[in-house]
Amino acid sequence: MTRFRPCIDLHAGQVKQIVGGTLTHDNLPNTNDTPLVTNYTSTHPPSHFARLYRDNNLRGSHVIMLGPGNEDAAREALAAWPGQLQVGGGINEGNAAQWLEWGASEVIVTSYLFPSGTFSQTRLASLLRNALNGRKDKLVIDLSCRRKHEDEERWWVAMNKWTTITDFELTRANLQMLQEHCAEFLIHAAGKEGLQAGIDEALVARLAEWCDIPVTYAGGGRSIEDLELVKRLSSGKVDLTIGSALDIFGGSGVKLEEAMQWNREQETAEAM
């Protein structure tokens, strides 16, 4: 059943919606000379959105820390709805257990699993064993990705705020291997993130074909019709996060109430 899943994206301690392609790594210059493009900066604290999601039972929401200076903001969100929000951004073996203690339902991990841009099975095993006590149900692997060539339907994991393309390609074999070690996948189409220019339809279709565990796709969602599109492309197997287009983040494409009504309709149909 395709669901709408909301987010709380944090940058410099504030809730923001940012064009993903304009983010830069903390320690690297912006090599494409593109300034950071921010679609929206909220005047509300993170806890406002966490309470909003709590009051409307929007489970499966994720809090993403885009760079340093966001820990306090993330903890504030988690405290407002303990045990119900996923958290990601800088999660590693040394702090994963602490984030669960602070109230995260699951931790979302990307860059830690790709030292020097290469996937490390050793790090994944160590994270599960030492930080999560073998509980793969507490781990969401973020495989946010980019195409190297827009005309090719091939995607590689992008890390370090989506600025570094790894050598790990999204394929059936790779996803089947990883799904044995986690509860869910979170996948941003980094080149689409924040643009409100439509989803990566081919990626959504491949994710449904290749994955047997829950998957949330984000990037380019701009209307309630995109939920219908994701449902059709994935046969209901992939969820959709809508950010910049959502009215609570200054957007005009989707009202939160519309997205919640979509979820209610899907739940009703599923129960029949």
Side-chain angles (χ1 to χ4, degrees), residues 75-129:
R75 291 185 63 183
E76 177 186 321
L78 297 179
W81 199 12
Q84 298 298 331
L85 297 171
Q86 302 171 351
V87 68
I91 306 297
N92 55 48
E93 182 180 339
N95 62 23
Q98 180 66 76
W99 280 106
L100 292 174
E101 290 180 13
W102 284 336
S105 57
E106 297 90 20
V107 290
I108 304 169
V109 180
T110 309
S111 298
Y112 177 72
L113 299 179
F114 295 89
S116 302
T118 298
F119 172 67
S120 171
Q121 182 74 47
T122 300
R123 282 197 172 192
L124 175 58
S126 183
L127 172 72
L128 281 166
R129 180 178 62 252

Side-chain angles (χ1 to χ4, degrees), residues 19-24 28-36 146 162-163:
V19 176
T22 66
L23 282 164
T24 58
L28 294 176
N30 195 331
T31 55
N32 60 8
D33 295 323
T34 302
L36 180 69
R146 289 185 179 274
W162 309 324
T163 61

Side-chain angles (χ1 to χ4, degrees), residues 8-243:
I8 302 174
D9 290 349
L10 302 172
H11 183 262
Q14 294 178 283
V15 177
K16 296 183 182 181
Q17 285 293 309
I18 289 172
V19 176
T22 66
L23 282 164
T24 58
H25 192 302
D26 305 329
N27 300 318
L28 294 176
N30 195 331
T31 55
N32 60 8
D33 295 323
T34 302
L36 180 69
V37 177
T38 302
N39 288 334
Y40 177 77
T41 301
S42 178
T43 58
H44 296 295
S47 56
H48 166 82
F49 297 95
R51 287 192 296 268
L52 180 63
Y53 301 161
R54 178 199 65 196
D55 294 346
N56 290 283
N57 199 32
L58 286 168
R59 299 180 185 276
S61 306
H62 54 265
V63 180
I64 301 295
M65 297 178 283
L66 297 170
N70 293 303
E71 282 199 3
D72 289 345
R75 291 185 63 183
E76 177 186 321
L78 297 179
W81 199 12
Q84 298 298 331
L85 297 171
Q86 302 171 351
V87 68
I91 306 297
N92 55 48
E93 182 180 339
N95 62 23
Q98 180 66 76
W99 280 106
L100 292 174
E101 290 180 13
W102 284 336
S105 57
E106 297 90 20
V107 290
I108 304 169
V109 180
T110 309
S111 298
Y112 177 72
L113 299 179
F114 295 89
S116 302
T118 298
F119 172 67
S120 171
Q121 182 74 47
T122 300
R123 282 197 172 192
L124 175 58
S126 183
L127 172 72
L128 281 166
R129 180 178 62 252
N130 298 326
L132 303 180
N133 295 317
R135 295 194 60 184
K136 71 175 187 177
D137 62 304
K138 290 298 182 180
L139 177 61
V140 176
I141 295 181
D142 184 335
L143 297 175
S144 296
C145 58
R146 289 185 179 274
R147 298 186 186 211
K148 291 183 179 179
H149 305 285
E150 284 303 313
D151 59 345
E152 291 184 357
E153 292 182 0
R154 299 177 67 184
W155 303 267
W156 280 261
V157 170
M159 54 185 255
N160 295 330
K161 294 192 289 184
W162 309 324
T163 61
T164 303
I165 297 179
T166 71
D167 62 6
F168 193 87
E169 185 176 0
L170 267 62
T171 63
R172 180 193 299 273
N174 281 339
L175 291 172
Q176 294 276 317
M177 177 270 294
L178 286 177
Q179 71 182 16
E180 298 300 318
H181 305 284
C182 64
E184 299 183 17
F185 291 133
L186 172 63
I187 299 179
H188 295 79
K192 297 280 189 178
E193 186 69 16
L195 295 177
Q196 303 178 60
I199 65 170
D200 188 328
E201 297 183 25
L203 176 57
V204 170
R206 294 294 84 73
L207 293 174
E209 179 183 343
W210 294 339
C211 301
D212 300 312
I213 62 173
V215 181
T216 298
Y217 167 92
R222 57 187 173 182
S223 69
I224 203 72
E225 286 74 24
D226 282 324
L227 279 161
E228 290 280 0
L229 179 58
V230 169
K231 178 182 177 181
R232 177 174 60 81
L233 291 169
S234 71
S235 299
K237 292 177 64 177
V238 175
D239 293 340
L240 176 65
T241 291
I242 300 174

